[in-house]
Amino acid sequence: PSISVQQQLDYSRNGHTVLRSFIPQQTIYQLKSEIVPYANSQTLAAWKQKVEVQLADSADEYYRQNSQSIANGLEDIEACQDMLESLGMANGDLPFLQFFNTWRAKDSNTPTVRQLCLSPYLAQAASILMDSPTVKLYQDSLFHKRAGDGWTPWHSDSRMAPFDTSKMITFWIPLQKVPTPENGGTGLLFVNYSHSDFALPYWNGAEGKEYERLEQRYGSGSIAHHMPMSVGDVTVHNGWTLHSADGAEFMEEGEDRYAFSVTFVDGNAEVRADALFENNQQTKGDMEDVWSYRPWVTQVEPRTSFRHALVPIVWPVERDD
């Protein structure tokens, strides 16, 4: 792939960049035609994931200790919605529905997803931008933002992952055109330099009032975006870069928007010892991605260089898992 020096500098300095016309449009159209029907068949699982995340963050100890079993026991979407409402999250408060790791689903009939996630093209781009000679595929996600969905709060992806590393990177791939924010665009918003701001989480924790005054903290113009985006354009951001997305309150019914993301991690990244306990709780971090890494994380030794088929080495290509 052609990654310019300017794009590398932007990624290093700002924590994000954009790669215009990076993926052929026909590949995006084919990807969408495969993954959206598959996601529609997995909608109940996506709702259960939202319930488990909220239960794990509940003040109720029983809910926290039993978040997985309670969520798995819900039989339909209405039951999930009722549970979320009882936890204080109305349907309109959800920022999106999320579907993890379609590349692993052998019965999904989504060959384009697997080809893209495992492609040397994306993996080498990740290697260049992270400055990592060895790269592993961490996960893929489909984000389904429905008409009426709420905004995505400021967050950093690495808080949700099981790794202890500064080298994690996400390629965010919209599956349709994204207009400017003024015209209803709901692409990602980024806070420049936030990936290298160690003081923010150290002194203020992972959330709180300081996150409500980001522009004052980083300066006027520090909140950036790459909209409008055409089909084939891709944004890329560091795992510690703060980012968010506007809500879809003004979208018309039937204008649902989809984005596909692929996340890579440095090949030598180690798993934290507290990534997943028996009761599915962490001492630090966010539970949002537990559904992604639960199938493998307890099978590797923390604080060691590890190999696992569900987190394959994808660059260099000669190292095959």
Side-chain angles (χ1 to χ4, degrees), residues 268-286:
N268 292 317
E270 298 176 353
V271 168
R272 305 188 325 272
D274 64 351
L276 189 66
F277 292 150
E278 288 184 5
N279 63 357
N280 298 315
Q281 295 299 298
Q282 302 185 74
T283 57
K284 294 181 180 180
D286 191 296

Side-chain angles (χ1 to χ4, degrees), residues 103-104 136-138 163 265 296 306 308-313 321:
W103 81 269
R104 298 179 190 164
K136 289 178 178 175
L137 172 63
Y138 168 42
F163 307 104
V265 67
W296 62 266
F306 72 93
H308 196 286
L310 297 184
V311 195
I313 292 173
D321 277 22

